[in-house]
């Protein structure tokens, strides 16, 4: 088991079930978005970019291609949704404000994007619900202290419906070290206990 999230490689927002529920455009966009937990450098960059206060370990999403640059993804290429339900709007914002102008997007992907005949997205209400369920499939959850955290209970997606039963037992996501997961699940367990 690799102990460092960075050593595991990027974690895409896209999940295999996207193709069963989303339009070609939505699938394409989700494949260009990386989910990550904020490092000390990310927190400093967000402050320098005059974004709202970001906390160490908070989940953000960013352009997969700009993240590979020496300076990393900055400005409109990165965002930190306030809640799991805000991931949909954050991705839409990346699509509107960044991907059409992204100089890091490889030419073959620009060509692929131009071949997608419809710029029509999936049904809005379906998309919003699906984005929440897909985030839960990645182990993302709303933190009690604000923002999104990784390492929560993983809920599977099925082809017959968005969600199936929660996966039992501890699951390791590729966003956190196993030590970090133990610490991060504590707020989620407290939140569940209050219900």
């Amino acid at each position: 088991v690799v102990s460092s999230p960075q050593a595991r490689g990027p974690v895409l927002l896209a999940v295999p079930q996207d193709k069963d529920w989303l339009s070609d455009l939505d699938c394409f966009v989700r494949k260009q978005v990386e989910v990550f937990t904020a490092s000390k450098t990310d927190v400093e960059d967000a402050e320098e970019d005059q974004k709202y206060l970001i906390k160490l370990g908070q989940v953000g999403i960013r352009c997969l291609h700009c993240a590979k640059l020496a300076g990393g993804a900055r400005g409109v290429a990165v965002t930190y949704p306030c809640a799991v339900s805000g991931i949909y709007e954050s991705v839409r914002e990346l699509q509107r404000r960044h991907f059409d102008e992204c100089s890091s997007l490889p030419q073959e992907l620009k060509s692929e994007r131009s071949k997608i005949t419809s710029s029509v997205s999936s049904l809005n209400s379906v998309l919003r619900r699906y984005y929440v369920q897909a985030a839960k499939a990645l182990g993302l959850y709303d933190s009690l202290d604000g923002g999104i955290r990784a390492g929560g209970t993983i809920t599977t997606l099925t082809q017959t419906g968005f969600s199936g039963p929660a996966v039992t037992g501890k699951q390791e996501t590729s966003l956190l070290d196993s030590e970090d997961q133990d610490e991060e699940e504590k707020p989620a367990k407290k939140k569940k206990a209050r219900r």
Side-chain angles (χ1 to χ4, degrees), residues 10-14 26-36 60-65 77 79 87 90-92 94-95 99 131 138:
V11 175
L12 296 182
L13 185 61
D26 292 318
C27 289
F28 176 84
V29 170
R30 287 173 59 91
K31 289 177 184 174
Q32 312 317 310
V33 177
E34 177 183 8
V35 180
F36 69 100
I61 60 173
R62 61 187 170 200
C63 171
L64 171 69
H65 311 288
T79 183
I87 294 174
S90 292
V91 171
R92 286 287 163 256
L94 280 172
Q95 184 180 359
F99 286 124
Y131 269 62
L138 293 172

PDB file of all heavy atoms in Angstrom, residues 10-14 26-36 60-65 77 79 87 90-92 94-95 99 131 138:
ATOM      1  N   PRO A  10      -3.332  10.892  -9.764  1.00  0.00           N
ATOM      2  CA  PRO A  10      -4.555  11.686  -9.640  1.00  0.00           C
ATOM      3  C   PRO A  10      -5.797  10.816  -9.454  1.00  0.00           C
ATOM      4  O   PRO A  10      -5.866   9.694  -9.934  1.00  0.00           O
ATOM      5  CB  PRO A  10      -4.619  12.449 -10.967  1.00  0.00           C
ATOM      6  CG  PRO A  10      -3.740  11.703 -11.901  1.00  0.00           C
ATOM      7  CD  PRO A  10      -2.729  10.972 -11.085  1.00  0.00           C
ATOM      8  N   VAL A  11      -6.762  11.366  -8.742  1.00  0.00           N
ATOM      9  CA  VAL A  11      -8.069  10.730  -8.567  1.00  0.00           C
ATOM     10  C   VAL A  11      -9.051  11.548  -9.393  1.00  0.00           C
ATOM     11  O   VAL A  11      -9.261  12.734  -9.121  1.00  0.00           O
ATOM     12  CB  VAL A  11      -8.500  10.720  -7.082  1.00  0.00           C
ATOM     13  CG1 VAL A  11      -9.909  10.156  -6.937  1.00  0.00           C
ATOM     14  CG2 VAL A  11      -7.510   9.923  -6.252  1.00  0.00           C
ATOM     15  N   LEU A  12      -9.616  10.933 -10.407  1.00  0.00           N
ATOM     16  CA  LEU A  12     -10.555  11.649 -11.269  1.00  0.00           C
ATOM     17  C   LEU A  12     -11.933  11.716 -10.626  1.00  0.00           C
ATOM     18  O   LEU A  12     -12.336  10.809  -9.893  1.00  0.00           O
ATOM     19  CB  LEU A  12     -10.669  10.964 -12.622  1.00  0.00           C
ATOM     20  CG  LEU A  12      -9.406  10.922 -13.480  1.00  0.00           C
ATOM     21  CD1 LEU A  12      -9.708  10.250 -14.821  1.00  0.00           C
ATOM     22  CD2 LEU A  12      -8.845  12.317 -13.697  1.00  0.00           C
ATOM     23  N   LEU A  13     -12.660  12.778 -10.947  1.00  0.00           N
ATOM     24  CA  LEU A  13     -14.046  12.880 -10.523  1.00  0.00           C
ATOM     25  C   LEU A  13     -14.890  11.844 -11.259  1.00  0.00           C
ATOM     26  O   LEU A  13     -15.882  11.345 -10.738  1.00  0.00           O
ATOM     27  CB  LEU A  13     -14.573  14.296 -10.799  1.00  0.00           C
ATOM     28  CG  LEU A  13     -15.970  14.617 -10.304  1.00  0.00           C
ATOM     29  CD1 LEU A  13     -16.057  14.475  -8.789  1.00  0.00           C
ATOM     30  CD2 LEU A  13     -16.356  16.027 -10.717  1.00  0.00           C
ATOM     31  N   ALA A  14     -14.482  11.481 -12.461  1.00  0.00           N
ATOM     32  CA  ALA A  14     -15.204  10.498 -13.273  1.00  0.00           C
ATOM     33  C   ALA A  14     -15.186   9.135 -12.602  1.00  0.00           C
ATOM     34  O   ALA A  14     -14.186   8.735 -12.005  1.00  0.00           O
ATOM     35  CB  ALA A  14     -14.566  10.401 -14.661  1.00  0.00           C
ATOM     36  N   ASP A  26     -20.899  15.623 -20.497  1.00  0.00           N
ATOM     37  CA  ASP A  26     -20.680  15.530 -19.052  1.00  0.00           C
ATOM     38  C   ASP A  26     -19.587  14.515 -18.723  1.00  0.00           C
ATOM     39  O   ASP A  26     -18.751  14.756 -17.855  1.00  0.00           O
ATOM     40  CB  ASP A  26     -21.976  15.164 -18.330  1.00  0.00           C
ATOM     41  CG  ASP A  26     -22.994  16.284 -18.403  1.00  0.00           C
ATOM     42  OD1 ASP A  26     -22.608  17.450 -18.243  1.00  0.00           O
ATOM     43  OD2 ASP A  26     -24.182  15.981 -18.632  1.00  0.00           O
ATOM     44  N   CYS A  27     -19.585  13.391 -19.423  1.00  0.00           N
ATOM     45  CA  CYS A  27     -18.542  12.370 -19.206  1.00  0.00           C
ATOM     46  C   CYS A  27     -17.165  12.939 -19.537  1.00  0.00           C
ATOM     47  O   CYS A  27     -16.206  12.752 -18.786  1.00  0.00           O
ATOM     48  CB  CYS A  27     -18.813  11.131 -20.062  1.00  0.00           C
ATOM     49  SG  CYS A  27     -20.227  10.159 -19.505  1.00  0.00           S
ATOM     50  N   PHE A  28     -17.072  13.643 -20.661  1.00  0.00           N
ATOM     51  CA  PHE A  28     -15.798  14.238 -21.077  1.00  0.00           C
ATOM     52  C   PHE A  28     -15.281  15.206 -20.006  1.00  0.00           C
ATOM     53  O   PHE A  28     -14.117  15.135 -19.610  1.00  0.00           O
ATOM     54  CB  PHE A  28     -15.962  14.963 -22.413  1.00  0.00           C
ATOM     55  CG  PHE A  28     -14.717  15.673 -22.851  1.00  0.00           C
ATOM     56  CD1 PHE A  28     -13.716  14.989 -23.530  1.00  0.00           C
ATOM     57  CD2 PHE A  28     -14.531  17.016 -22.560  1.00  0.00           C
ATOM     58  CE1 PHE A  28     -12.546  15.641 -23.921  1.00  0.00           C
ATOM     59  CE2 PHE A  28     -13.366  17.672 -22.942  1.00  0.00           C
ATOM     60  CZ  PHE A  28     -12.373  16.981 -23.620  1.00  0.00           C
ATOM     61  N   VAL A  29     -16.141  16.096 -19.543  1.00  0.00           N
ATOM     62  CA  VAL A  29     -15.731  17.106 -18.556  1.00  0.00           C
ATOM     63  C   VAL A  29     -15.265  16.441 -17.265  1.00  0.00           C
ATOM     64  O   VAL A  29     -14.207  16.790 -16.726  1.00  0.00           O
ATOM     65  CB  VAL A  29     -16.870  18.116 -18.288  1.00  0.00           C
ATOM     66  CG1 VAL A  29     -16.549  19.011 -17.096  1.00  0.00           C
ATOM     67  CG2 VAL A  29     -17.123  18.957 -19.532  1.00  0.00           C
ATOM     68  N   ARG A  30     -16.014  15.470 -16.764  1.00  0.00           N
ATOM     69  CA  ARG A  30     -15.642  14.806 -15.504  1.00  0.00           C
ATOM     70  C   ARG A  30     -14.291  14.095 -15.615  1.00  0.00           C
ATOM     71  O   ARG A  30     -13.574  13.974 -14.621  1.00  0.00           O
ATOM     72  CB  ARG A  30     -16.739  13.830 -15.068  1.00  0.00           C
ATOM     73  CG  ARG A  30     -17.978  14.554 -14.530  1.00  0.00           C
ATOM     74  CD  ARG A  30     -19.128  13.604 -14.249  1.00  0.00           C
ATOM     75  NE  ARG A  30     -18.810  12.578 -13.282  1.00  0.00           N
ATOM     76  CZ  ARG A  30     -18.997  12.690 -11.965  1.00  0.00           C
ATOM     77  NH1 ARG A  30     -19.483  13.805 -11.456  1.00  0.00           N
ATOM     78  NH2 ARG A  30     -18.705  11.680 -11.160  1.00  0.00           N
ATOM     79  N   LYS A  31     -13.921  13.645 -16.802  1.00  0.00           N
ATOM     80  CA  LYS A  31     -12.617  12.993 -16.997  1.00  0.00           C
ATOM     81  C   LYS A  31     -11.457  13.989 -16.957  1.00  0.00           C
ATOM     82  O   LYS A  31     -10.298  13.600 -16.862  1.00  0.00           O
ATOM     83  CB  LYS A  31     -12.585  12.249 -18.331  1.00  0.00           C
ATOM     84  CG  LYS A  31     -13.445  11.009 -18.334  1.00  0.00           C
ATOM     85  CD  LYS A  31     -13.433  10.362 -19.702  1.00  0.00           C
ATOM     86  CE  LYS A  31     -14.372   9.171 -19.757  1.00  0.00           C
ATOM     87  NZ  LYS A  31     -14.471   8.632 -21.126  1.00  0.00           N
ATOM     88  N   GLN A  32     -11.761  15.278 -17.030  1.00  0.00           N
ATOM     89  CA  GLN A  32     -10.725  16.323 -16.998  1.00  0.00           C
ATOM     90  C   GLN A  32     -10.578  16.932 -15.603  1.00  0.00           C
ATOM     91  O   GLN A  32      -9.787  17.843 -15.404  1.00  0.00           O
ATOM     92  CB  GLN A  32     -11.055  17.444 -17.997  1.00  0.00           C
ATOM     93  CG  GLN A  32     -11.434  17.009 -19.394  1.00  0.00           C
ATOM     94  CD  GLN A  32     -10.596  15.906 -19.973  1.00  0.00           C
ATOM     95  OE1 GLN A  32      -9.367  15.972 -19.958  1.00  0.00           O
ATOM     96  NE2 GLN A  32     -11.253  14.880 -20.496  1.00  0.00           N
ATOM     97  N   VAL A  33     -11.364  16.443 -14.637  1.00  0.00           N
ATOM     98  CA  VAL A  33     -11.388  17.031 -13.293  1.00  0.00           C
ATOM     99  C   VAL A  33     -10.758  16.069 -12.289  1.00  0.00           C
ATOM    100  O   VAL A  33     -11.151  14.912 -12.184  1.00  0.00           O
ATOM    101  CB  VAL A  33     -12.845  17.366 -12.870  1.00  0.00           C
ATOM    102  CG1 VAL A  33     -12.871  17.906 -11.442  1.00  0.00           C
ATOM    103  CG2 VAL A  33     -13.455  18.371 -13.834  1.00  0.00           C
ATOM    104  N   GLU A  34      -9.800  16.589 -11.552  1.00  0.00           N
ATOM    105  CA  GLU A  34      -9.115  15.829 -10.508  1.00  0.00           C
ATOM    106  C   GLU A  34      -9.661  16.236  -9.143  1.00  0.00           C
ATOM    107  O   GLU A  34      -9.889  17.419  -8.875  1.00  0.00           O
ATOM    108  CB  GLU A  34      -7.616  16.138 -10.566  1.00  0.00           C
ATOM    109  CG  GLU A  34      -6.800  15.481  -9.494  1.00  0.00           C
ATOM    110  CD  GLU A  34      -5.326  15.863  -9.529  1.00  0.00           C
ATOM    111  OE1 GLU A  34      -4.931  16.760 -10.297  1.00  0.00           O
ATOM    112  OE2 GLU A  34      -4.567  15.255  -8.760  1.00  0.00           O
ATOM    113  N   VAL A  35      -9.874  15.247  -8.282  1.00  0.00           N
ATOM    114  CA  VAL A  35     -10.286  15.477  -6.898  1.00  0.00           C
ATOM    115  C   VAL A  35      -9.024  15.350  -6.045  1.00  0.00           C
ATOM    116  O   VAL A  35      -8.237  14.432  -6.238  1.00  0.00           O
ATOM    117  CB  VAL A  35     -11.330  14.424  -6.453  1.00  0.00           C
ATOM    118  CG1 VAL A  35     -11.753  14.664  -5.013  1.00  0.00           C
ATOM    119  CG2 VAL A  35     -12.528  14.412  -7.385  1.00  0.00           C
ATOM    120  N   PHE A  36      -8.819  16.277  -5.118  1.00  0.00           N
ATOM    121  CA  PHE A  36      -7.603  16.237  -4.305  1.00  0.00           C
ATOM    122  C   PHE A  36      -7.886  16.798  -2.921  1.00  0.00           C
ATOM    123  O   PHE A  36      -8.898  17.454  -2.697  1.00  0.00           O
ATOM    124  CB  PHE A  36      -6.479  17.044  -4.972  1.00  0.00           C
ATOM    125  CG  PHE A  36      -6.746  18.528  -4.982  1.00  0.00           C
ATOM    126  CD1 PHE A  36      -6.150  19.353  -4.042  1.00  0.00           C
ATOM    127  CD2 PHE A  36      -7.610  19.094  -5.911  1.00  0.00           C
ATOM    128  CE1 PHE A  36      -6.401  20.716  -4.036  1.00  0.00           C
ATOM    129  CE2 PHE A  36      -7.869  20.453  -5.911  1.00  0.00           C
ATOM    130  CZ  PHE A  36      -7.264  21.264  -4.967  1.00  0.00           C
ATOM    131  N   GLY A  60     -10.780  19.599  -2.799  1.00  0.00           N
ATOM    132  CA  GLY A  60     -10.984  20.539  -3.890  1.00  0.00           C
ATOM    133  C   GLY A  60     -11.056  19.779  -5.202  1.00  0.00           C
ATOM    134  O   GLY A  60     -10.774  18.575  -5.246  1.00  0.00           O
ATOM    135  N   ILE A  61     -11.432  20.485  -6.251  1.00  0.00           N
ATOM    136  CA  ILE A  61     -11.389  19.910  -7.593  1.00  0.00           C
ATOM    137  C   ILE A  61     -10.617  20.876  -8.483  1.00  0.00           C
ATOM    138  O   ILE A  61     -10.637  22.083  -8.258  1.00  0.00           O
ATOM    139  CB  ILE A  61     -12.795  19.618  -8.158  1.00  0.00           C
ATOM    140  CG1 ILE A  61     -13.634  20.882  -8.255  1.00  0.00           C
ATOM    141  CG2 ILE A  61     -13.493  18.554  -7.318  1.00  0.00           C
ATOM    142  CD1 ILE A  61     -14.973  20.670  -8.961  1.00  0.00           C
ATOM    143  N   ARG A  62      -9.910  20.313  -9.459  1.00  0.00           N
ATOM    144  CA  ARG A  62      -9.086  21.153 -10.316  1.00  0.00           C
ATOM    145  C   ARG A  62      -8.915  20.516 -11.685  1.00  0.00           C
ATOM    146  O   ARG A  62      -9.168  19.325 -11.868  1.00  0.00           O
ATOM    147  CB  ARG A  62      -7.721  21.397  -9.679  1.00  0.00           C
ATOM    148  CG  ARG A  62      -6.909  20.144  -9.450  1.00  0.00           C
ATOM    149  CD  ARG A  62      -5.658  20.454  -8.673  1.00  0.00           C
ATOM    150  NE  ARG A  62      -4.972  19.242  -8.247  1.00  0.00           N
ATOM    151  CZ  ARG A  62      -4.106  19.192  -7.267  1.00  0.00           C
ATOM    152  NH1 ARG A  62      -3.786  20.282  -6.597  1.00  0.00           N
ATOM    153  NH2 ARG A  62      -3.528  18.051  -6.935  1.00  0.00           N
ATOM    154  N   CYS A  63      -8.445  21.320 -12.606  1.00  0.00           N
ATOM    155  CA  CYS A  63      -8.134  20.841 -13.946  1.00  0.00           C
ATOM    156  C   CYS A  63      -6.985  19.842 -13.837  1.00  0.00           C
ATOM    157  O   CYS A  63      -5.916  20.167 -13.318  1.00  0.00           O
ATOM    158  CB  CYS A  63      -7.748  22.012 -14.840  1.00  0.00           C
ATOM    159  SG  CYS A  63      -7.102  21.525 -16.456  1.00  0.00           S
ATOM    160  N   LEU A  64      -7.221  18.657 -14.307  1.00  0.00           N
ATOM    161  CA  LEU A  64      -6.215  17.592 -14.277  1.00  0.00           C
ATOM    162  C   LEU A  64      -4.941  18.011 -14.997  1.00  0.00           C
ATOM    163  O   LEU A  64      -3.840  17.704 -14.567  1.00  0.00           O
ATOM    164  CB  LEU A  64      -6.818  16.340 -14.929  1.00  0.00           C
ATOM    165  CG  LEU A  64      -5.895  15.165 -15.194  1.00  0.00           C
ATOM    166  CD1 LEU A  64      -5.461  14.543 -13.882  1.00  0.00           C
ATOM    167  CD2 LEU A  64      -6.595  14.140 -16.058  1.00  0.00           C
ATOM    168  N   HIS A  65      -5.093  18.736 -16.080  1.00  0.00           N
ATOM    169  CA  HIS A  65      -3.952  19.097 -16.924  1.00  0.00           C
ATOM    170  C   HIS A  65      -3.144  20.252 -16.338  1.00  0.00           C
ATOM    171  O   HIS A  65      -1.916  20.228 -16.378  1.00  0.00           O
ATOM    172  CB  HIS A  65      -4.447  19.404 -18.338  1.00  0.00           C
ATOM    173  CG  HIS A  65      -5.353  18.326 -18.843  1.00  0.00           C
ATOM    174  ND1 HIS A  65      -4.876  17.082 -19.208  1.00  0.00           N
ATOM    175  CD2 HIS A  65      -6.698  18.274 -18.957  1.00  0.00           C
ATOM    176  CE1 HIS A  65      -5.905  16.322 -19.555  1.00  0.00           C
ATOM    177  NE2 HIS A  65      -7.011  17.017 -19.418  1.00  0.00           N
ATOM    178  N   ALA A  77      -8.773  27.506 -12.466  1.00  0.00           N
ATOM    179  CA  ALA A  77      -8.524  26.086 -12.744  1.00  0.00           C
ATOM    180  C   ALA A  77      -8.695  25.216 -11.503  1.00  0.00           C
ATOM    181  O   ALA A  77      -8.581  24.002 -11.578  1.00  0.00           O
ATOM    182  CB  ALA A  77      -7.118  25.896 -13.318  1.00  0.00           C
ATOM    183  N   THR A  79     -11.046  24.841  -7.632  1.00  0.00           N
ATOM    184  CA  THR A  79     -12.135  25.325  -6.784  1.00  0.00           C
ATOM    185  C   THR A  79     -12.323  24.377  -5.605  1.00  0.00           C
ATOM    186  O   THR A  79     -11.957  23.210  -5.675  1.00  0.00           O
ATOM    187  CB  THR A  79     -13.447  25.481  -7.593  1.00  0.00           C
ATOM    188  OG1 THR A  79     -14.460  26.030  -6.750  1.00  0.00           O
ATOM    189  CG2 THR A  79     -13.911  24.170  -8.177  1.00  0.00           C
ATOM    190  N   ILE A  87     -20.551  20.288  -5.702  1.00  0.00           N
ATOM    191  CA  ILE A  87     -19.585  19.806  -6.698  1.00  0.00           C
ATOM    192  C   ILE A  87     -20.106  20.029  -8.106  1.00  0.00           C
ATOM    193  O   ILE A  87     -19.372  20.456  -8.994  1.00  0.00           O
ATOM    194  CB  ILE A  87     -19.222  18.324  -6.456  1.00  0.00           C
ATOM    195  CG1 ILE A  87     -18.459  18.182  -5.140  1.00  0.00           C
ATOM    196  CG2 ILE A  87     -18.408  17.760  -7.624  1.00  0.00           C
ATOM    197  CD1 ILE A  87     -18.181  16.747  -4.721  1.00  0.00           C
ATOM    198  N   SER A  90     -19.580  23.588  -9.111  1.00  0.00           N
ATOM    199  CA  SER A  90     -18.143  23.852  -9.259  1.00  0.00           C
ATOM    200  C   SER A  90     -17.607  23.300 -10.570  1.00  0.00           C
ATOM    201  O   SER A  90     -16.785  23.937 -11.235  1.00  0.00           O
ATOM    202  CB  SER A  90     -17.377  23.257  -8.077  1.00  0.00           C
ATOM    203  OG  SER A  90     -17.691  23.946  -6.898  1.00  0.00           O
ATOM    204  N   VAL A  91     -18.073  22.117 -10.961  1.00  0.00           N
ATOM    205  CA  VAL A  91     -17.644  21.538 -12.236  1.00  0.00           C
ATOM    206  C   VAL A  91     -18.181  22.381 -13.388  1.00  0.00           C
ATOM    207  O   VAL A  91     -17.474  22.638 -14.370  1.00  0.00           O
ATOM    208  CB  VAL A  91     -18.090  20.063 -12.362  1.00  0.00           C
ATOM    209  CG1 VAL A  91     -17.841  19.529 -13.771  1.00  0.00           C
ATOM    210  CG2 VAL A  91     -17.350  19.213 -11.344  1.00  0.00           C
ATOM    211  N   ARG A  92     -19.429  22.829 -13.288  1.00  0.00           N
ATOM    212  CA  ARG A  92     -20.007  23.691 -14.326  1.00  0.00           C
ATOM    213  C   ARG A  92     -19.190  24.976 -14.458  1.00  0.00           C
ATOM    214  O   ARG A  92     -18.966  25.473 -15.550  1.00  0.00           O
ATOM    215  CB  ARG A  92     -21.475  24.025 -14.013  1.00  0.00           C
ATOM    216  CG  ARG A  92     -22.403  22.896 -14.234  1.00  0.00           C
ATOM    217  CD  ARG A  92     -22.578  22.677 -15.747  1.00  0.00           C
ATOM    218  NE  ARG A  92     -23.135  21.376 -15.993  1.00  0.00           N
ATOM    219  CZ  ARG A  92     -22.445  20.331 -16.435  1.00  0.00           C
ATOM    220  NH1 ARG A  92     -21.163  20.418 -16.675  1.00  0.00           N
ATOM    221  NH2 ARG A  92     -23.015  19.181 -16.656  1.00  0.00           N
ATOM    222  N   LEU A  94     -15.971  25.331 -13.708  1.00  0.00           N
ATOM    223  CA  LEU A  94     -14.724  24.976 -14.398  1.00  0.00           C
ATOM    224  C   LEU A  94     -14.963  24.862 -15.907  1.00  0.00           C
ATOM    225  O   LEU A  94     -14.146  25.318 -16.709  1.00  0.00           O
ATOM    226  CB  LEU A  94     -14.178  23.643 -13.880  1.00  0.00           C
ATOM    227  CG  LEU A  94     -13.406  23.644 -12.581  1.00  0.00           C
ATOM    228  CD1 LEU A  94     -13.111  22.213 -12.141  1.00  0.00           C
ATOM    229  CD2 LEU A  94     -12.114  24.429 -12.709  1.00  0.00           C
ATOM    230  N   GLN A  95     -16.071  24.251 -16.274  1.00  0.00           N
ATOM    231  CA  GLN A  95     -16.384  24.084 -17.688  1.00  0.00           C
ATOM    232  C   GLN A  95     -16.558  25.441 -18.370  1.00  0.00           C
ATOM    233  O   GLN A  95     -16.018  25.670 -19.447  1.00  0.00           O
ATOM    234  CB  GLN A  95     -17.659  23.251 -17.844  1.00  0.00           C
ATOM    235  CG  GLN A  95     -18.014  22.939 -19.273  1.00  0.00           C
ATOM    236  CD  GLN A  95     -19.280  22.106 -19.383  1.00  0.00           C
ATOM    237  OE1 GLN A  95     -19.894  21.747 -18.382  1.00  0.00           O
ATOM    238  NE2 GLN A  95     -19.663  21.812 -20.593  1.00  0.00           N
ATOM    239  N   PHE A  99     -12.183  25.355 -19.022  1.00  0.00           N
ATOM    240  CA  PHE A  99     -11.842  24.339 -20.015  1.00  0.00           C
ATOM    241  C   PHE A  99     -11.831  24.838 -21.454  1.00  0.00           C
ATOM    242  O   PHE A  99     -11.022  24.375 -22.258  1.00  0.00           O
ATOM    243  CB  PHE A  99     -12.724  23.096 -19.877  1.00  0.00           C
ATOM    244  CG  PHE A  99     -12.357  22.261 -18.680  1.00  0.00           C
ATOM    245  CD1 PHE A  99     -13.305  21.948 -17.724  1.00  0.00           C
ATOM    246  CD2 PHE A  99     -11.056  21.813 -18.493  1.00  0.00           C
ATOM    247  CE1 PHE A  99     -12.969  21.187 -16.614  1.00  0.00           C
ATOM    248  CE2 PHE A  99     -10.704  21.058 -17.384  1.00  0.00           C
ATOM    249  CZ  PHE A  99     -11.663  20.750 -16.446  1.00  0.00           C
ATOM    250  N   TYR A 131     -24.252  13.624  -9.208  1.00  0.00           N
ATOM    251  CA  TYR A 131     -22.974  14.154  -8.722  1.00  0.00           C
ATOM    252  C   TYR A 131     -22.798  13.886  -7.228  1.00  0.00           C
ATOM    253  O   TYR A 131     -21.709  13.563  -6.772  1.00  0.00           O
ATOM    254  CB  TYR A 131     -22.861  15.656  -9.002  1.00  0.00           C
ATOM    255  CG  TYR A 131     -22.223  15.983 -10.329  1.00  0.00           C
ATOM    256  CD1 TYR A 131     -22.792  15.587 -11.526  1.00  0.00           C
ATOM    257  CD2 TYR A 131     -21.037  16.702 -10.389  1.00  0.00           C
ATOM    258  CE1 TYR A 131     -22.204  15.897 -12.735  1.00  0.00           C
ATOM    259  CE2 TYR A 131     -20.439  17.025 -11.596  1.00  0.00           C
ATOM    260  CZ  TYR A 131     -21.036  16.611 -12.771  1.00  0.00           C
ATOM    261  OH  TYR A 131     -20.447  16.906 -13.973  1.00  0.00           O
ATOM    262  N   LEU A 138     -16.842   7.999  -4.061  1.00  0.00           N
ATOM    263  CA  LEU A 138     -15.421   8.297  -3.863  1.00  0.00           C
ATOM    264  C   LEU A 138     -15.078   8.457  -2.379  1.00  0.00           C
ATOM    265  O   LEU A 138     -13.933   8.729  -2.037  1.00  0.00           O
ATOM    266  CB  LEU A 138     -15.037   9.575  -4.620  1.00  0.00           C
ATOM    267  CG  LEU A 138     -15.081   9.499  -6.141  1.00  0.00           C
ATOM    268  CD1 LEU A 138     -14.860  10.882  -6.745  1.00  0.00           C
ATOM    269  CD2 LEU A 138     -14.048   8.515  -6.661  1.00  0.00           C
TER     270      LEU A 138
END
